[in-house]
Amino acid sequence: MNDFLSYYRQKEKELGTEKVTETQCPFCSVQCTMQLFEQPRVGRKNYKVIPKNNPTSGERLCIKGLNAHQHALNQERIQYPMLKKNGEFVRISWQKAIAYIRERFSDIQRQNGVDGIGLYGGGSLTNESAYLLGKFARVALTTKHIDYNGRFCMSAAATAANEAFGIDRGFTNKLSEIPFARCLILAGTNIAECQPTLMPYLTKAKENGSFIIVIDPRETATTEIADLHLKVKPGMDAALVNGILKVIFEKGYFNEEFINERTNGFQELKEHISTIQLDNISKMTGIPEDSIRLAAVKYATCSTGMIFTARGVEQQTDGYMAVRNFLNLVLVTGKIGKIGCGYGAITGQGNGQGGREHGQKADQLPGYRHLENKEHRKYISKVWGVNEKDLPRQGVSAYEMIEKIDTGEIQGLFVMGSNPIVSNPNANFVEQSLKKLRFLVVVDLFISETAKLADLILPCSSYLENEGTMTNLEGRVTLRKASRKSPGEAMHDWKILCEIAKAFEKGKYFSFFSPEEIFNEIRVASRGGIADYYGITYKRLKKERVYWPCPDHGHPGESRLFTKRFRHPDGKGKLISVRNIFPKERTDNDYPLYLTTGRVISHYLTGVQTRNSPSLRSRDFESFLEIHPDTAKKYKIENHALVKLTSKRGQITVRSKYTNKIREDTVFVPFHWGDDQNVNRLTHEALDPTCKMPGFKVCAVKVSPFIDLTLN
């Protein structure tokens, strides 16, 4: 026995010391920093994750961050290009894979025109990859059809902020100012589960005496800290704000000096609000008049205050207008541009901010420039070394691309870092449409629900292997370090794009050998734009996280926006009248319940990464239906039983979970699962007319016990 132990210890000694990887969490928009320790052992390796201090979240990690490495180290990762032959994926070389893409895409473009190809990106790509994907679409393939899954995350808030303020950055202030706000409104956000490392800011505010208002149809871990929980009917947030504005105007609690000096549109808004009846708002929203009055008085009369919105407000067919109304609330009270006063759109995806700034959106060029603006086109054409007339025009939004696939206008699709079958609304239609494609390429870590339909799968590197910059929810640009070698032949996203561009004889526009080289081009491309990164360098990012806009090397970065003026030419913020609008789909006798969707703490987006992390998967291994016990009794639903949930578009099977924390007219299902648990098989395809956000948060459903017919 002693001889064996001596031999074992000697072998472990020979294995060497532990390896340390410095990196950032690949999941939410906080971008917490960490160290991964790899400890060699005989026959195995041990891994340990330690949080590392950063100015956004300190030394904090949530359960996802602590276990993120598990998916990156999972042996089920795709390691080689895989071509589908006779219904099965077979390994091929990169050379053959890229040649095949050139052949198939070129054939489609010859027959259907250059716009016969679409590109579908992701909000978790680095800034470098997101930028290059937009350039690849417009320079290498010359197609107008490109958009990304961030359309489903931030489009309502981004469009609203651009229109109201003249600029879209997730937070107008530093996160560290939250404890100085005397009133906080958290609308449609469950920070405790979606961005848990931010909760200490809220608890500190609470300790400082802040009055916290949470607007959500459900009771969540976030509502537990609320002084006032407004359990609004799904889809009625904009109407609720009209009620709050009604009280503020009646009481004279608006900031007349700020309104006169720094806003436009007040008179029109005031006239609109004069037509609002508070008792009608109460009926529409399900919120008692006294609660609406209390919320209005607390927010309007406090010396400082901040409002945060997230998907609960934004993922609606009037999401843009709902956010605009919250921004009305900010502007009429003058609570912006000062410490403890501002607005924040709590970004969901890891690079949800940076991913929407540099060109993978349908209407966008780098630096938050617009594709239809002639001066913007001229500038970017010069940076890229192409003729302005050769740049494609504006394309369509993500879901509208699916519709064009269905009609045959788009016949080839390149998907990078996204899982459209699970993330889009009306998922049965999406799946049927993707099956019509002549050629589908998917770049991913795993064989996702979408990748299963692909003709060709390309393996990409993970966050532990792919260095690059990310821009977090504060608007701080961060450098995500990565030093591990990719498994097998997995390739960095940006490198894949460069190699394919060479095959299309556009290599001179994509002659990059490192992400830093790409970032240096982003700096020039963004210079003078709304999202100006010119003063930010890798050298600087190795020392600090830098806020944009940062127009030159000596600039510290603008941490608090709108201290003196907004970014419209006249320097003023824009107020707008917002009508009370009901959801596109309402309940009836056949579909008597509202369905709303959201996240759980252990999973991220469509679950491709977290469902491949054993520790995270074991915490929530299947989807579920939250339902009020009284509602369950009415429809003969037992607790923890399989149930069938049906809408006009499809049905899913999930397990019931009784809770008194949800409205009796509403049920909740998380969106991290695919196949028969894919809740987006139920959601409505209607889009917000302004920002093209689908109405994920509201649709009509019915629930019934699941009957397994195979047992009969």
Side-chain angles (χ1 to χ4, degrees):
M1 184 66 179
N2 289 336
D3 290 342
F4 173 77
L5 289 174
S6 298
Y7 171 80
Y8 186 86
R9 288 170 181 150
Q10 178 60 33
K11 281 294 181 183
E12 288 206 333
K13 186 176 181 181
E14 291 172 3
L15 289 172
T17 58
E18 64 183 9
K19 298 177 183 177
V20 181
T21 301
E22 304 269 348
T23 189
Q24 288 175 196
C25 180
F27 298 131
C28 87
S29 57
V30 180
Q31 287 298 289
C32 303
T33 48
M34 62 181 77
Q35 293 177 310
L36 173 66
F37 291 83
E38 182 179 320
Q39 303 164 323
R41 295 290 185 267
V42 176
R44 61 187 173 86
K45 292 179 181 178
N46 283 351
Y47 296 94
K48 180 175 65 175
V49 175
I50 301 295
K52 191 175 179 183
N53 190 44
N54 71 82
T56 303
S57 58
E59 292 187 72
R60 298 187 288 273
L61 284 175
C62 75
I63 190 68
K64 287 194 291 291
L66 288 169
N67 293 285
H69 63 283
Q70 292 184 0
H71 82 261
L73 303 176
N74 192 318
Q75 295 301 306
E76 295 299 315
R77 274 183 61 181
I78 309 163
Q79 298 189 26
Y80 308 95
M82 307 288 285
L83 181 68
K84 187 176 286 181
K85 290 185 177 180
N86 300 319
E88 300 291 333
F89 286 110
V90 296
R91 175 180 171 180
I92 62 171
S93 68
W94 272 104
Q95 183 179 7
K96 288 183 178 179
I98 291 171
Y100 198 51
I101 292 172
R102 164 66 193 269
E103 175 188 339
R104 296 300 304 274
F105 277 1
S106 296
D107 182 55
I108 290 170
Q109 289 188 312
R110 275 193 299 269
Q111 295 181 37
N112 299 86
V114 292
D115 296 328
I117 302 297
L119 291 93
Y120 197 113
S124 294
L125 300 178
T126 63
N127 287 322
E128 291 79 4
S129 293
Y131 167 82
L132 218 58
L133 188 65
K135 183 179 180 181
F136 177 78
R138 292 164 180 127
V139 175
L141 297 180
T142 64
T143 178
K144 69 179 181 180
H145 287 311
I146 176 172
D147 209 57
Y148 78 128
N149 64 14
R151 175 73 61 177
F152 306 147
C153 179
M154 296 306 302
S155 61
T159 308
N162 276 322
E163 292 298 319
F165 301 149
I167 189 172
D168 158 42
R169 196 182 77 184
F171 273 46
T172 62
N173 304 56
K174 296 180 180 180
L175 282 165
S176 58
E177 293 185 21
I178 292 175
F180 298 101
R182 301 300 297 169
C183 181
L184 291 168
I185 296 179
L186 310 177
T189 176
N190 184 10
I191 293 176
E193 292 195 70
C194 300
Q195 293 86 15
T197 57
L198 298 186
M199 282 301 289
Y201 290 115
L202 300 180
T203 54
K204 182 63 176 177
K206 184 86 169 177
E207 291 170 4
N208 290 347
S210 178
F211 189 87
I212 299 178
I213 303 166
V214 179
I215 304 171
D216 197 311
R218 305 162 60 222
E219 293 176 32
T220 67
T222 305
T223 65
E224 290 178 8
I225 67 167
D227 296 283
L228 177 63
H229 176 201
L230 303 178
K231 220 171 195 179
V232 66
K233 287 182 181 179
M236 300 312 299
D237 301 270
L240 175 60
V241 181
N242 275 336
I244 294 172
L245 288 168
K246 177 72 173 180
V247 175
I248 290 173
F249 283 16
E250 281 185 347
K251 297 285 188 180
Y253 289 152
F254 50 86
N255 188 329
E256 189 170 5
E257 181 181 358
F258 184 91
I259 290 167
N260 290 337
E261 293 180 1
R262 298 195 57 186
T263 71
N264 290 318
F266 176 71
Q267 195 58 41
E268 293 85 349
L269 175 60
K270 187 177 180 182
E271 290 173 3
H272 166 66
I273 295 299
S274 69
T275 67
I276 297 295
Q277 300 298 320
L278 199 59
D279 59 340
N280 288 338
I281 295 294
S282 178
K283 292 173 185 176
M284 293 172 68
T285 62
I287 305 298
E289 289 185 46
D290 287 348
S291 295
I292 297 173
R293 291 186 185 279
L294 179 60
V297 171
K298 287 292 186 180
Y299 176 73
T301 61
C302 67
S303 57
T304 57
M306 303 180 90
I307 295 177
F308 302 108
T309 66
R311 307 306 81 72
V313 168
E314 299 156 15
Q315 286 183 330
Q316 300 179 24
T317 52
D318 70 336
Y320 162 76
M321 294 301 278
V323 177
R324 284 301 300 265
N325 225 13
F326 279 103
L327 300 186
N328 283 340
L329 198 52
V330 170
L331 291 172
V332 300
T333 58
K335 289 184 169 60
I336 195 164
K338 301 175 288 187
I339 187 168
C341 291
Y343 166 72
I346 302 178
T347 314
Q349 299 194 69
N351 200 29
Q353 181 68 55
R356 68 181 187 264
E357 296 169 355
H358 298 302
Q360 64 172 335
K361 284 174 63 180
D363 60 350
Q364 190 187 72
L365 290 171
Y368 232 125
R369 290 181 165 90
H370 199 283
L371 195 56
E372 295 300 318
N373 182 300
K374 191 168 182 61
E375 294 305 313
H376 293 179
R377 291 173 63 87
K378 284 182 179 179
Y379 180 81
I380 295 301
S381 296
K382 185 177 180 180
V383 173
W384 286 350
V386 299
N387 292 323
E388 184 269 327
K389 65 179 178 63
D390 294 330
L391 276 184
R393 310 304 298 195
Q394 178 174 320
V396 297
S397 70
Y399 186 78
E400 290 172 313
M401 282 176 58
I402 302 297
E403 293 177 325
K404 289 187 178 295
I405 292 171
D406 181 62
T407 61
E409 186 174 336
I410 296 175
Q411 299 213 356
L413 187 66
F414 185 90
V415 178
M416 177 172 275
S418 192
N419 188 13
I421 285 179
V422 181
S423 62
N424 272 263
N426 196 11
N428 286 328
F429 168 78
V430 175
E431 183 171 352
Q432 292 162 11
S433 299
L434 294 185
K435 288 178 179 178
K436 295 180 179 181
L437 287 164
R438 288 170 57 190
F439 191 54
L440 173 61
V441 182
V442 174
V443 183
D444 213 326
L445 298 168
F446 298 94
I447 301 180
S448 67
E449 287 79 4
T450 302
K452 289 176 184 177
L453 298 184
D455 298 286
L456 178 65
I457 305 175
L458 301 179
C460 62
S461 54
S462 78
Y463 78 106
L464 293 177
E465 304 133 18
N466 185 19
E467 183 176 78
T469 61
M470 311 284 278
T471 306
N472 77 357
L473 77 172
E474 287 185 285
R476 288 188 199 246
V477 184
T478 73
L479 177 60
R480 186 182 73 192
K481 299 176 182 178
S483 58
R484 286 185 64 87
K485 185 179 182 300
S486 299
E489 296 177 6
M491 192 181 293
H492 302 321
D493 298 324
W494 62 266
K495 183 68 173 174
I496 292 171
L497 296 171
C498 290
E499 293 300 317
I500 299 174
K502 290 178 186 176
F504 279 87
E505 300 180 355
K506 298 294 179 70
K508 68 177 183 178
Y509 304 107
F510 297 85
S511 56
F512 302 106
F513 294 95
S514 71
E516 185 173 6
E517 288 184 349
I518 302 169
F519 188 77
N520 284 333
E521 186 170 295
I522 293 175
R523 293 174 54 233
V524 176
S526 69
R527 189 176 191 180
I530 291 174
D532 191 336
Y533 281 31
Y534 184 71
I536 306 173
T537 64
Y538 264 45
K539 181 178 180 180
R540 189 171 174 183
L541 291 174
K542 288 175 182 177
K543 301 176 183 177
E544 60 177 329
R545 294 182 165 196
V546 184
Y547 290 97
W548 70 260
C550 183
D552 57 65
H553 297 291
H555 196 284
E558 200 166 339
S559 60
R560 188 186 306 126
L561 302 176
F562 318 132
T563 55
K564 295 181 179 179
R565 56 183 285 121
F566 294 98
R567 297 303 168 92
H568 291 301
D570 63 0
K572 294 188 175 184
K574 294 183 180 180
L575 295 161
I576 187 174
S577 299
V578 176
R579 294 186 299 114
N580 296 327
I581 301 174
F582 287 99
K584 292 286 185 183
E585 184 172 78
R586 300 176 69 180
T587 57
D588 56 27
N589 290 334
D590 293 327
Y591 299 93
L593 298 172
Y594 284 116
L595 166 68
T596 192
T597 68
R599 300 187 184 197
V600 296
I601 192 170
S602 56
H603 285 293
Y604 177 67
L605 299 183
T606 66
V608 174
Q609 293 159 288
T610 52
R611 284 187 278 128
N612 281 288
S613 163
S615 294
L616 297 176
R617 185 176 64 244
S618 66
R619 291 173 65 95
D620 287 286
F621 60 87
E622 65 178 0
S623 189
F624 57 86
L625 169 86
E626 280 190 357
I627 186 169
H628 194 282
D630 292 344
T631 308
K633 183 179 180 181
K634 181 177 179 180
Y635 296 105
K636 298 180 173 57
I637 301 300
E638 296 181 3
N639 198 16
H640 304 304
L642 290 177
V643 299
K644 183 170 68 173
L645 194 63
T646 308
S647 77
K648 293 178 181 178
R649 290 154 295 280
Q651 69 178 45
I652 61 172
T653 303
V654 289
R655 196 171 300 280
S656 65
K657 181 187 289 188
Y658 284 8
T659 176
N660 290 304
K661 297 181 177 182
I662 194 167
R663 293 176 55 92
E664 292 183 32
D665 60 0
T666 303
V667 294
F668 168 85
V669 178
F671 53 64
H672 310 293
W673 285 268
D675 302 323
D676 289 342
Q677 299 181 79
N678 182 357
V679 69
N680 279 325
R681 289 184 175 182
L682 310 180
T683 50
H684 201 288
E685 71 276 12
L687 305 178
D688 182 298
T690 304
C691 65
K692 307 303 181 182
M693 170 73 83
F696 292 105
K697 287 295 182 277
V698 192
C699 73
V701 296
K702 61 182 176 182
V703 63
S704 58
F706 174 77
I707 300 173
D708 190 347
L709 298 178
T710 63
L711 299 178
N712 294 335

